[in-house]
């Protein structure tokens, strides 16, 4: 017998005041119950029962030990119930990490719906423009944009995005539309450092199809770059989801679409696989449904509003 089963035998015998009665309660033979109690007493180096041919009575030590044994099993059963509940009912704190713009535009609306659906869950979100090690930093789910390296993580694909050159229709009307990447040298460039940290902009699938741009303005915020572009001052390169609403509304338009690099996948990544707790599974189910319905993230659409 293992130690927990030995405790169960001890408690059953004490409550029945009989080895046979305790054994029947657990579906064991009387000799098995006797061996279990004997092993427990030997391990503890003390007597828990006073035995006669007719009765089994707890010693003073046995009575104290019985209270502790009951507490231990009660705590174990409570822990089992909590764990089983977490596997079936969303509960606890869900920790998510994603980039700033993706989180602001697409994750935040899902989170409020998720919290309304599951009142026993709280959410902690880290929005940061870096790759977070979700295992080492204790996150349940991460939104990943781009090719995934080999790992033991589970990935759920929910869409893809493009790397696009964009400006307002008014800017293109006043300054002309670049017909090929080399034409960018004639335009005012706003560089969004999180998207284009280098002055070398690559186009197409050919690694040699690069253009050296000379940004007039470099900012560390995509939101700032978008704001400047919307003011008709110049053009910039961003990820298509970052201007999805503006493309849908016609506020911004893209150029050089035929020269774009291949689109990048978007995945929800988590660590638990099929054994993920209910809080993770529930969020994944809701997020898949909501994100796959967003035009800016769909492979066949990507909120494409281009100008030629």
């Amino acid at each position: 017998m293992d130690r927990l089963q030995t405790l169960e035998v001890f408690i059953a015998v004490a409550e029945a005041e009989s080895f046979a009665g305790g054994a029947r309660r657990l579906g064991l033979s009387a000799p098995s119950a006797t061996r279990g109690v004997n092993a427990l007493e030997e391990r503890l180096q003390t007597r828990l029962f006073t035995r006669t041919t007719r009765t089994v009575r707890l010693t003073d030590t046995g009575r104290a030990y019985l209270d502790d044994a009951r507490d231990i099993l009660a705590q174990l059963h409570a822990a089992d119930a909590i764990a089983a509940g977490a596997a079936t009912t969303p509960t606890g704190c869900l920790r998510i990490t994603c980039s700033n713009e993706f989180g602001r535009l697409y994750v935040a609306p899902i989170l409020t719906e998720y919290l309304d659906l599951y009142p026993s869950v709280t959410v902690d979100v880290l929005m940061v423009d870096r790759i977070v090690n979700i295992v080492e930093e204790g996150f349940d789910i991460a939104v990943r944009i781009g090719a995934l390296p080999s790992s033991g993580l589970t990935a759920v694909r929910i869409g893809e995005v493009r790397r696009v050159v964009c400006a307002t229709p008014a800017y293109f009307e006043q300054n002309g539309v670049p017909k090929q990447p080399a034409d960018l040298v004639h335009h005012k460039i706003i560089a969004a450092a999180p998207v284009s940290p280098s002055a070398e902009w690559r186009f197409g699938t050919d690694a040699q199809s690069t253009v050296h741009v000379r940004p007039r303005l470099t900012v560390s915020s995509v939101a700032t770059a978008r704001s400047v572009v919307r003011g008709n001052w110049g053009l910039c390169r961003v990820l298509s989801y970052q201007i999805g609403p503006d493309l849908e509304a016609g506020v911004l338009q893209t150029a050089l679409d035929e020269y774009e690099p291949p689109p990048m996948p978007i995945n929800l990544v988590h660590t638990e696989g099929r054994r993920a707790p209910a809080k993770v599974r529930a969020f994944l189910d809701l997020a898949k449904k909501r994100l796959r319905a967003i035009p800016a993230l769909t492979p066949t659409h990507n909120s494409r509003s281009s100008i030629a």
Side-chain angles (χ1 to χ4, degrees):
M1 292 184 185
D2 60 31
R3 294 180 66 176
L4 288 176
Q5 188 178 18
T6 300
L7 286 181
E8 291 177 335
V9 170
F10 164 68
I11 293 170
V13 171
E15 291 176 346
E17 297 185 345
S18 163
F19 283 101
R24 282 194 299 272
R25 181 183 298 183
L26 298 176
L28 300 173
S29 66
S32 293
T34 301
R35 287 194 297 270
V37 170
N38 289 342
L40 179 60
E41 290 178 327
E42 182 177 351
R43 184 173 61 81
L44 297 175
Q45 293 293 294
T46 188
R47 282 285 182 184
L48 300 174
F49 292 104
T50 299
R51 302 162 174 81
T52 69
T53 55
R54 295 184 179 180
T55 62
V56 177
R57 293 284 187 271
L58 286 167
T59 63
D60 289 343
T61 301
R63 278 190 290 273
Y65 192 72
L66 177 62
D67 291 338
D68 291 338
R70 283 170 171 161
D71 287 343
I72 290 169
L73 287 184
Q75 291 176 26
L76 176 63
H77 292 154
D80 287 347
I82 292 172
T88 57
T89 303
T91 186
C93 180
L94 180 72
R95 300 195 70 213
I96 300 173
T97 179
C98 58
S99 66
N100 278 294
E101 283 299 294
F102 196 92
R104 181 181 69 84
L105 290 170
Y106 303 117
V107 176
I110 297 172
L111 291 178
T112 54
E113 181 181 2
Y114 174 76
L115 289 169
D116 286 341
L117 288 171
Y118 304 106
S120 296
V121 179
T122 60
V123 176
D124 179 13
V125 186
L126 175 65
M127 297 185 184
V128 62
D129 294 324
R130 66 175 174 86
I131 299 297
V132 174
N133 187 316
I134 63 174
V135 176
E136 293 183 359
E137 299 187 43
F139 285 89
D140 298 298
I141 299 173
V143 180
R144 292 277 195 262
I145 298 175
L148 297 175
S150 298
S151 69
L153 303 178
T154 301
V156 180
R157 183 158 176 165
I158 52 88
E160 63 183 35
V161 294
R162 300 149 46 217
R163 196 180 294 271
V164 299
V165 174
C166 69
T168 61
Y171 174 84
F172 284 134
E173 183 177 351
Q174 294 168 9
N175 299 277
V177 180
K179 301 298 183 182
Q180 55 188 356
D183 294 342
L184 291 172
V185 298
H186 305 299
H187 289 267
K188 289 186 289 187
I189 305 293
I190 303 106
V195 177
S196 300
S198 169
E200 300 289 333
W201 287 9
R202 187 170 69 85
F203 292 87
T205 57
D206 186 350
Q208 296 182 345
S209 298
T210 60
V211 174
H212 183 85
V213 297
R214 296 178 181 272
R216 294 288 308 282
L217 174 64
T218 300
V219 295
S220 61
S221 162
V222 172
T224 301
R226 184 176 62 244
S227 178
V228 174
V229 169
R230 289 180 57 163
N232 303 318
W233 190 82
L235 57 78
C236 72
R237 197 180 206 193
V238 294
L239 299 180
S240 56
Y241 81 82
Q242 295 169 335
I243 56 170
D246 286 339
L247 292 177
E248 287 285 340
V251 174
L252 296 178
Q253 293 180 318
T254 62
L256 302 175
D257 292 352
E258 64 270 32
Y259 295 99
E260 289 175 6
M264 295 180 290
I266 308 173
N267 288 281
L268 301 175
V269 177
H270 63 102
T271 62
E272 302 291 344
R274 294 182 179 179
R275 295 185 178 181
K279 65 179 181 180
V280 172
R281 297 197 310 271
F283 180 81
L284 291 174
D285 289 343
L286 179 62
K288 284 189 296 184
K289 182 177 180 180
R290 296 292 179 261
L291 294 174
R292 287 173 176 171
I294 295 174
L297 308 180
T298 58
T300 56
H301 187 289
N302 262 326
S303 294
R304 184 182 293 271
S305 177
S306 60
I307 188 168

